[in-house]
Amino acid sequence: MFEQMENAGLERLHFACDPETGLRAIIAIHSTLRGPAIGGCRFITYQSEADAITDATRLARGMSYKAALSGLPHGGAKAVLIKPSHNFDRKALMESFGRFVQDLGGRYITAMDSGTLTSDMDSIAHTTKWVTCTSQIGDPSPYTAMGVFEGIKAALKHLNGSDSLQGTHVALQGLGHVGYAVAQMLYNDGAHLTVSDIDQVKVLKAVNELGAKAVATDKIYSVEADVFCPCGLGAIINDHSMQQLRCRIVAGSANNQLEREEHGELLRRRNILYAPDYLINAGGLIFVAMQHAGQTDAAISAKVRQVGTSLSQLFQQADQEGRSTHCIANERAETIIARAALHSAA
Ligand code: NAD
């Protein structure tokens, strides 16, 4: 486990178990050098405890990079709650998790993620003040979607000289909170959509409301499209999908899209422009952090729109240097965090 922590560059890995409520929780803190670590709280089923630890550790680093590149005064963390297989009292379990967060004294601020709802954040808020995304604050997904939409336009502009979506074809994977909102924005601006989701109700909705074409979940990678927009699972850019991709751009909300670091370079070699996940999907974190700091909606939206500008600059640098966008984004984030380390050591 310590080797796993070292490889992920984690500062701390915390565990809590509360048999009374069924809570089994992990909080992975990647860094607090730039401020309190912030990051969502997952509540899903895991095959094993090891899988849950891996999920938390892998995701925490991305949150630090996201905060650093967005200029937010935060470090990154991720919490994972293993969903009990037996009956449980959801409110009591969330309140117990809130006590765990409270014990960390503000080093970690929790938020919504896969499997958690604003009502869960309300329960967590009964026992800690280090929580955001409560029903008073709301779901960050529309802001994540806004950033992804801006990112797709920036990528199109980089390749075509125009950010018009009219007549472009987007293959979108995952029609959840973020994916469906992105699909709606793309459709409203004239894009054609091909979609996949394991949930056929969502697929049917996109077909009926957005004129989308549906394909089976394993066929979405090979759709000939301008953009492949992953908004479902992580690790979808892997050795297998790499062979199938028929797009010019990969730009979507999913976290940890690259199964391995070198897949960023392999995309570049295939002439596929990649919008690094933690940059294009930063809208939700920007919303959460700025809401927590009491900033206005107008200021938050303006900052989320800058996601497109940041990506345009990154695409240009990658072209000039003949390097992958992923590699340059990693370097930029690591430099910002290292600067904070020097500052705190001084
Ligand atoms: P969600 O759970 O609402 O949606 C995910 C969707 O993907 C669901 O509709 C699910 O049925 C679908 N899906 C699952 N497996 C699939 C498969 N094999 N093929 C096709 N579809 C599949 O989640 P969300 O909040 O919309 O987030 C989507 C992604 O974006 C996640 O990776 C999440 O970590 C990331 N993300 C979300 C936010 C946010 O603000 N919600 C912020 C940053 C990153």
Side-chain angles (χ1 to χ4, degrees), residues 42 141 144 174 176-178 197-198 202 231-233 253-255 281:
R42 292 199 156 178
S141 303
T144 306
H177 290 100
V178 181
D197 197 295
I198 47 171
K202 292 175 183 169
C231 295
L233 313 164
S253 76
N255 277 316
N281 72 16

Side-chain angles (χ1 to χ4, degrees), residues 37 56 160:
N160 302 339

Side-chain angles (χ1 to χ4, degrees), residues 42 59 63 66 78 112-115 139-145 172-180 196-199 202 217-218 220-221 230-234 236 252-256 277 281-285:
R42 292 199 156 178
L59 290 160
M63 296 308 292
K66 206 181 287 195
K78 208 78 181 184
M112 258 174 83
D113 205 303
S114 304
D139 176 4
S141 303
Y143 292 85
T144 306
L172 193 146
Q173 178 185 50
L175 292 160
H177 290 100
V178 181
Y180 203 89
S196 78
D197 197 295
I198 47 171
D199 183 342
K202 292 175 183 169
T217 50
D218 60 339
I220 194 76
Y221 307 104
C231 295
L233 313 164
I236 32 73
S253 76
N255 277 316
N256 286 0
D277 43 17
N281 72 16
L285 180 69

Side-chain angles (χ1 to χ4, degrees), residues 19 38 50 104-105 131 161 203 226 246 248 253 297 308 313 315-316 333 340:
I38 193 163
L104 300 182
V131 57
V203 171
D226 297 289
R246 301 280 177 273
R248 297 190 300 144
S253 76
D297 242 13
Q313 289 164 357
F315 296 151
Q316 275 169 25

Side-chain angles (χ1 to χ4, degrees), residues 18-19 122 162 262:
D18 176 10
D122 291 345
S162 157
E262 64 261 36

